Amino acid sequence: MENCVFCKIAKKEIPSNLVYEDEYTVAFNDLNPQAPVHILVIPKKHYASLNEVDDPVIMGALLNAVKETAKKLNISDYRTVINTGKGAGQEVFHIHLHMLAGRPLKWPPG
Ligand code: AMP
Ligand code: ZN
């Protein structure tokens, strides 16, 4: 989608630090990390949020990409977060899964 920063990252039109890629997804480092490891996993195809994803293949591919990224980076303990909608803190309207690791992550998060 035009003017979508994450579409541009997926198409490699703007630089990012890619850590994983497959047919359906890419994963890259968050610009403003909230943990020593903070990676975003996105579908190559544009969906504004989880609410717009209508393809179970993409649903599965996103979680698979999280698992494969963790495996590639040798990370066993991590948190996966999807903010859906402004009221839940979503700022970029191209669905992304946050992967956080590298420090103790308390639960409940508060
Ligand atoms: P959210 O609040 O869930 O929409 O998260 C958006 C995330 O995207 C934030 O953690 C930002 O730091 C991150 N972000 C925004 N632009 C970029 C970018 N160009 N490259 C990497 N991460 C980005
Ligand atoms: Zn997009």
Side-chain angles (χ1 to χ4, degrees):
M1 197 198 212
E2 237 175 284
N3 292 326
C4 171
V5 65
F6 287 0
C7 281
K8 288 179 181 162
I9 287 174
K11 289 184 197 147
K12 298 173 183 128
E13 290 172 4
I14 61 171
S16 75
N17 193 337
L18 282 198
V19 293
Y20 172 83
E21 177 169 14
D22 63 29
E23 183 181 352
Y24 301 108
T25 72
V26 295
F28 52 95
N29 287 321
D30 195 292
L31 263 188
N32 182 23
Q34 303 302 312
V37 176
H38 187 170
I39 293 165
L40 300 176
V41 174
I42 66 170
K44 289 180 173 175
K45 186 172 171 190
H46 182 90
Y47 299 93
S49 80
L50 183 61
N51 287 337
E52 279 72 38
V53 180
D54 56 1
D55 182 349
V57 171
I58 301 297
M59 288 284 192
L62 287 168
L63 275 184
N64 183 63
V66 169
K67 186 196 77 175
E68 290 299 328
T69 300
K71 193 168 146 190
K72 186 172 172 186
L73 300 181
N74 224 0
I75 298 167
S76 61
D77 298 9
Y78 55 94
R79 179 166 297 158
T80 308
V81 174
I82 307 175
N83 297 324
T84 304
K86 272 196 168 49
Q90 186 176 4
E91 288 181 349
V92 177
F93 283 81
H94 178 133
I95 186 181
H96 48 281
L97 286 67
H98 295 261
M99 282 179 75
L100 300 154
R103 64 168 167 81
L105 295 161
K106 66 181 170 117
W107 192 263

